[in-house]
Amino acid sequence: MSRLEPRIDANDRSDRTPLLGTTAGTRYNRERGDLPLWRHVLENKMTWAWYNVIIASGGVSLLIFNLPYRVHRLWVLGAIVYVISLILFLITLLVHAARFIVRPSLLPNSICHPVEGLHVSTLPAALGILILNGATYSEKMHGYNGHAMRSFFWIYIILSLVFGIGTPLVQFAKGAQNRPAMSLSAASIGTTLPLLLAGPTAAAVLAHLPIVGRHRTALGIMAFGVALQGMGVFVSLLYQSSVIARLHNDGFPHPRERPSLFLTSIPAALSAWASTALAQQALRHFPTPSTAPGGAPELVVGGVALYYVGVTLGLVFWGLALWWFVIAACACIGGLNEMRAGGEILEGFIVVFAHVAFFLASNELLRAFDWPRGLTIMNEVLGVATIAVWGLLMVGCLLGLVTGRFARD
């Protein structure tokens, strides 16, 4: 144990006891003490990071639906993954409710914790992924309900603002004695994840919104989606500047921690996806006078201009995502010989989501440029590989539960 961390007596478990360690050596070794096994698991194991599983699984479901060369009725597999994600979300939500009922002080302590607090925003992010899945699979599974989808969208916008602003605010308000002695990591970018999903969610809702007499509704949805997306991407760029400074000063982290560098590609990838998807919807809802219902000449210039601006921004953000993606991939390949399997399987899921985000951004741009064959095949390979890695992580989770490794210190 680090000399900076006082040892806590197992029989003196106050509400100020850290939920997670703040150093690499103690992060995954939480003492059970005299707690019953079920309570030890509930309090020390079921952290906010479990929503990473839903985010990655829901993202894989979207990936399967959007594979360029998908075989006939492959969407059924994606729908199964979507249903699994929905069930996991409900189970995790109930478990966390029980966690905070059993020990109410865990709620504020977990939100303020320097490590676990970075994962609080995964709750609304998981909800956003499920809304995207609902809009994607609605017509094939259960039919589309426009009023319900728009209601979920506005609820999500409110939650994104609350968590996207509130989570960093709580982290900023901590006293100096409660801060970990480490530089800002790529995981800090996760606090902006709900904001970064606002644009794709808005595009998914607009894709099912009727164009007749819905121009004001479409404009409102698009405006809030763009505003929150912009908020998320620019705040995340500030976080990324700290990560770059850390890389310049200290070099790459330990090989075991290098996969987390893929997280830095998420903001740009999601923004590229959002920009291109919203551009397509701008052209759909604000068409030319000859095709607009009743003619809408005042919206023509806006629709066409928004399309070209959106695609251009999509390319800009995709280039930034590619830069981070290549940096992370080279760092991981360079440290491959020193990598060892560890207990960071929940962070592995968010790394999978980074690959999903890059795939979806690339896919949306490929669609805008009429599917260039070579690039489309490369993106297909990335998508299939991402599904395989996600499957291995799910198997690892199941083995951990069955063998009891998950419950052991």
Side-chain angles (χ1 to χ4, degrees):
M1 178 175 290
S2 171
R3 290 180 299 172
L4 299 178
E5 293 184 335
R7 184 174 182 85
I8 299 170
D9 190 348
N11 297 319
D12 183 23
R13 296 181 57 84
S14 69
D15 289 343
R16 292 175 294 176
T17 301
L19 305 177
L20 296 174
T22 55
T23 65
T26 61
R27 185 169 180 179
Y28 295 98
N29 297 318
R30 295 154 237 168
E31 295 184 4
R32 174 181 170 184
D34 58 351
L35 286 177
L37 181 59
W38 69 269
R39 187 162 180 176
H40 166 63
V41 171
L42 189 66
E43 292 186 10
N44 295 327
K45 301 287 187 176
M46 298 306 300
T47 66
W48 293 93
W50 276 94
Y51 288 105
N52 290 341
V53 180
I54 293 99
I55 294 173
S57 301
V60 168
S61 176
L62 293 172
L63 187 155
I64 293 173
F65 188 88
N66 287 280
L67 282 174
Y69 297 108
R70 58 182 180 272
V71 298
H72 182 59
R73 298 186 70 82
L74 184 62
W75 69 268
V76 175
L77 176 61
I80 293 173
V81 177
Y82 162 46
V83 172
I84 292 174
S85 304
L86 183 59
I87 294 172
L88 288 175
F89 177 79
L90 295 175
I91 292 174
T92 306
L93 199 62
L94 291 173
V95 169
H96 279 172
R99 182 191 189 206
F100 299 133
I101 290 173
V102 169
R103 190 177 174 193
S105 59
L106 279 177
L107 180 57
N109 285 354
S110 64
I111 294 174
C112 297
H113 194 272
V115 177
E116 186 177 357
L118 299 178
H119 297 279
V120 174
S121 295
T122 55
L123 168 59
L127 180 60
I129 287 291
L130 292 176
I131 292 174
L132 283 166
N133 275 274
T136 301
Y137 288 97
S138 58
E139 294 181 358
K140 293 183 178 293
M141 290 181 60
H142 44 66
Y144 182 81
N145 189 318
H147 293 291
M149 191 58 63
R150 289 193 294 275
S151 298
F152 277 119
F153 170 76
W154 291 116
I155 292 173
Y156 177 71
I157 289 297
I158 295 172
L159 289 175
S160 297
L161 284 170
V162 171
F163 282 83
I165 297 175
T167 303
L169 187 63
V170 170
Q171 294 291 318
F172 298 159
K174 292 196 303 288
Q177 68 275 13
N178 295 324
R179 298 180 185 274
M182 62 182 181
S183 303
L184 196 65
S185 67
S188 304
I189 297 174
T191 59
T192 62
L193 200 53
L195 299 172
L196 293 166
L197 285 169
T201 306
V205 174
L206 288 172
H208 294 85
L209 184 69
I211 61 175
V212 179
R214 294 287 186 173
H215 295 301
R216 291 185 181 276
T217 303
L219 195 59
I221 292 174
M222 185 174 294
F224 273 90
V226 171
L228 268 66
Q229 190 75 31
M231 185 189 301
V233 70
F234 284 109
V235 171
S236 65
L237 287 176
L238 299 176
Y239 281 116
Q240 287 178 356
S241 64
S242 177
V243 175
I244 290 179
R246 183 181 179 185
L247 292 175
H248 272 292
N249 294 331
D250 305 329
F252 287 126
H254 189 275
R256 181 180 177 181
E257 300 176 0
R258 292 184 187 181
S260 66
L261 289 174
F262 281 107
L263 273 63
T264 53
S265 69
I266 292 178
L270 291 179
S271 297
W273 177 24
S275 298
T276 312
L278 286 172
Q280 298 282 355
Q281 296 309 313
L283 205 58
R284 175 175 175 265
H285 284 276
F286 312 130
T288 60
S290 59
T291 59
E298 72 278 4
L299 298 173
V300 175
V301 177
V304 175
L306 284 174
Y307 174 77
Y308 287 109
V309 170
V311 173
T312 302
L313 284 175
L315 288 170
V316 171
F317 286 126
W318 184 85
L320 177 60
L322 178 65
W323 188 86
W324 275 115
F325 202 86
V326 172
I327 291 290
C330 291
C332 291
I333 292 173
L336 201 59
N337 293 333
E338 302 178 47
M339 280 190 182
R340 296 290 185 273
E344 301 159 348
I345 193 166
L346 295 182
E347 291 189 0
F349 279 104
I350 204 65
V351 172
V352 166
F353 180 71
H355 288 69
V356 170
F358 189 77
F359 169 88
L360 292 171
S362 304
N363 207 62
E364 201 66 38
L365 284 167
L366 289 170
R367 182 181 288 110
F369 287 94
D370 200 21
W371 305 106
R373 184 173 180 82
L375 294 175
T376 302
I377 293 175
M378 291 174 62
N379 204 43
E380 178 86 7
V381 172
L382 172 64
V384 173
T386 301
I387 296 171
V389 173
W390 169 81
L392 290 175
L393 286 175
M394 292 296 289
V395 171
C397 271
L398 292 174
L399 289 176
L401 291 172
V402 171
T403 61
R405 181 182 177 185
F406 164 72
R408 291 196 298 267
D409 287 329

